[in-house]
Amino acid sequence: MALLTTVDSKFFHAEIPYKPMGKYAHFLTVRVTESYPLFQTDGELNKARVRAGIKAENQAPISRLTMFKRKQSTPERLVGRELLRNYGLMTADECEYNVKFAMDNPDCIIYGFAIGDSGSEKSKVVVDTAFSITAFDESHENFTLNAPFENGTMASKGEAGSKPGEVTSRINQQDHIKPQVFFPSIVTLKDPTEAGFLYVFNNILRTRHYGAQTTRTGRVRNELIGVIFADGEITSNLRWTQAIYDQLQAEDKLNSRDPLNEDDVVAAAATAIASLMNEEFIVHTDFVGDRFTSLLNEIKALTGNEEGIKRMLQQADAEAKAYNKKHIKQKPEGEKAKAGKKS
């Protein structure tokens, strides 16, 4: 039974195929920081030196913050796993992320798994490194973290503390990404079924925290501007980001003293992707603008109520279990318990 009316069923498979079949769904996402998240490796924010834009006048290199692919896909699949547990389609005992995988639920089949000699499934979700539109120097801030005493006072290096005779020092200094920094990111789902498409779409919409996970930071919102169905992969995150930079620069919307205006970024992202898709040599159908609004409203109506979200998850789960039974080698009951840790 079809779940969507705004998208032609020809873009979806009736069941999850075992081999690549050349159908792609590309989610056009602009990730917007809404607090002070950390995308870091070895204590430093991730960054890369790349060309600012595509046009000749914007070819000077700049340093950009980067959001590596695992820092994007892992939080999204964890949100999906949480929903599966909430609606009784998976338990923590049978499937625990990065410990043991049940191999027969939507998370395992769509996002992939690896269990040593017991088997593996390649992810059907492709996510690449995302780059900030603005330069590194404009997009981060250094904070000094202090240690408060119980009476509410704090002491910095070389200062007497609240306790008599003691001297404390700063706990740490840490670079944080500023609020309203934008990371254009294309999430690609290969060979989607309708339920698989909705499962990934819903995970992107619901995920709110990325990067180093703490109780006080990491807030990021995903602003989807469209979906492109195609028979191949489309442009990279970096090229899309550079094209957005060109568009904002041409409109004189870049100002290093102020954060970018979100409406300007969304409009530039839509214009840039339309221009880039005109350069592609693939067959594609674009849901951007009003056409995407209709699709987004239908998906929100479906996943925004308990009956709708359960229907979607149950269908995705049934497809995953059918795929597991048909294509994943089944082990005898005695050996299943040994299929524990991820390689």
Side-chain angles (χ1 to χ4, degrees), residues 22-61:
K23 288 187 178 182
Y24 294 77
H26 304 282
F27 302 92
L28 307 176
T29 308
V30 178
R31 307 188 191 276
V32 189
T33 61
E34 293 190 325
S35 64
Y36 290 88
L38 296 170
F39 308 144
Q40 63 181 5
T41 304
D42 297 328
E44 293 185 359
L45 293 179
N46 302 131
K47 57 183 180 293
R49 190 81 172 161
V50 294
R51 200 165 66 181
I54 299 172
K55 294 181 179 178
E57 60 269 28
N58 296 325
Q59 290 187 359

Side-chain angles (χ1 to χ4, degrees), residues 52-53 58 62 64 133-135 138 182 241-261 264-265 268:
N58 296 325
I62 62 172
R64 282 189 160 105
I133 297 174
T134 47
E138 304 166 21
F182 299 83
T241 302
Q242 291 169 330
I244 294 170
Y245 182 95
D246 284 340
Q247 185 69 28
L248 291 171
Q249 186 74 276
E251 297 172 358
D252 197 25
K253 299 291 178 63
L254 291 171
N255 186 333
S256 61
R257 294 174 298 176
D258 300 315
L260 295 176
N261 181 288
D264 293 339
V265 172

Side-chain angles (χ1 to χ4, degrees), residues 74-94:
T74 296
E76 289 164 9
R77 72 181 296 179
L78 291 179
V79 164
R81 292 172 64 84
E82 182 180 277
L83 274 175
L84 293 172
R85 288 193 296 269
N86 183 47
Y87 289 102
L89 298 173
M90 186 178 77
T91 68
D93 292 334
E94 68 183 0

Side-chain angles (χ1 to χ4, degrees), residues 94-95 100-105 108-109 113 115 118-120 320-321 323-325 328-329 331 336 339:
E94 68 183 0
C95 190
K100 64 178 180 180
F101 290 97
M103 304 185 289
D104 66 348
N105 55 57
C108 291
I109 301 304
F113 62 86
I115 314 178
S118 301
S120 64
K321 284 178 168 50
Y323 181 91
N324 170 274
K325 187 175 182 180
I328 295 177
K329 184 179 179 181
K331 286 184 171 288
K336 286 184 179 180

Side-chain angles (χ1 to χ4, degrees), residues 9 21 23 40 47 66 68 101 108 112 121 123 137 147 159 166 176 199 252 255 262 273 291 302 304 337:
S9 61
M21 300 295 290
K23 288 187 178 182
Q40 63 181 5
K47 57 183 180 293
T66 59
F68 291 154
F101 290 97
C108 291
E121 182 67 25
S123 176
D137 291 342
E159 297 177 355
E166 290 187 6
H176 287 70
Y199 181 76
D252 197 25
N255 186 333
E262 185 172 331
I273 199 66
R291 196 176 188 187
L302 176 68

Side-chain angles (χ1 to χ4, degrees), residues 72-324:
Q72 299 173 68
S73 62
T74 296
E76 289 164 9
R77 72 181 296 179
L78 291 179
V79 164
R81 292 172 64 84
E82 182 180 277
L83 274 175
L84 293 172
R85 288 193 296 269
N86 183 47
Y87 289 102
L89 298 173
M90 186 178 77
T91 68
D93 292 334
E94 68 183 0
C95 190
E96 186 174 353
Y97 185 62
N98 271 350
V99 177
K100 64 178 180 180
F101 290 97
M103 304 185 289
D104 66 348
N105 55 57
D107 173 74
C108 291
I109 301 304
I110 294 174
Y111 287 94
F113 62 86
I115 314 178
D117 297 332
S118 301
S120 64
E121 182 67 25
K122 189 174 181 180
S123 176
K124 296 163 185 61
V125 178
V126 180
V127 186
D128 203 358
T129 299
F131 300 82
S132 61
I133 297 174
T134 47
F136 173 77
D137 291 342
E138 304 166 21
S139 308
H140 84 286
E141 190 172 342
N142 185 273
F143 290 145
T144 299
L145 309 178
N146 295 290
F149 288 104
E150 195 166 343
N151 65 3
T153 61
M154 292 183 289
S156 297
K157 187 175 181 181
E159 297 177 355
S162 297
K163 293 185 179 181
E166 290 187 6
V167 176
T168 65
S169 62
R170 294 179 176 92
I171 295 176
N172 194 14
Q173 286 188 318
Q174 175 68 59
D175 286 337
H176 287 70
I177 300 169
K178 291 180 178 180
Q180 284 192 269
V181 175
F182 299 83
F183 293 82
S185 178
I186 299 168
V187 179
T188 298
L189 175 60
K190 293 183 177 181
D191 292 313
T193 62
E194 186 182 47
F197 170 81
L198 287 167
Y199 181 76
V200 174
F201 200 127
N202 185 61
N203 290 348
I204 296 171
L205 287 175
R206 284 175 177 254
T207 305
R208 293 288 186 269
H209 289 269
Y210 292 83
Q213 296 295 303
T214 74
T215 59
R216 301 178 182 86
T217 189
R219 185 82 177 187
V220 176
R221 172 168 47 87
N222 291 314
E223 189 66 31
L224 273 85
I225 68 160
V227 175
I228 294 176
F229 295 96
D231 63 357
E233 292 197 53
I234 62 173
T235 191
S236 68
N237 290 341
L238 178 58
R239 191 165 181 82
W240 187 27
T241 302
Q242 291 169 330
I244 294 170
Y245 182 95
D246 284 340
Q247 185 69 28
L248 291 171
Q249 186 74 276
E251 297 172 358
D252 197 25
K253 299 291 178 63
L254 291 171
N255 186 333
S256 61
R257 294 174 298 176
D258 300 315
L260 295 176
N261 181 288
E262 185 172 331
D263 292 340
D264 293 339
V265 172
V266 169
T271 300
I273 199 66
S275 176
L276 291 170
M277 291 308 299
N278 286 335
E279 301 172 3
E280 294 285 357
F281 297 90
I282 59 175
V283 177
H284 57 93
T285 301
D286 303 351
F287 285 74
V288 181
D290 292 341
R291 196 176 188 187
F292 177 67
T293 300
S294 298
L295 171 60
L296 183 62
N297 288 339
E298 184 179 20
I299 291 174
K300 284 182 176 179
L302 176 68
T303 60
N305 68 84
E306 187 171 336
E307 182 182 346
I309 193 72
K310 285 175 72 174
R311 279 179 58 209
M312 182 272 286
L313 292 174
Q314 287 168 351
Q315 185 166 321
D317 188 61
E319 292 171 356
K321 284 178 168 50
Y323 181 91
N324 170 274

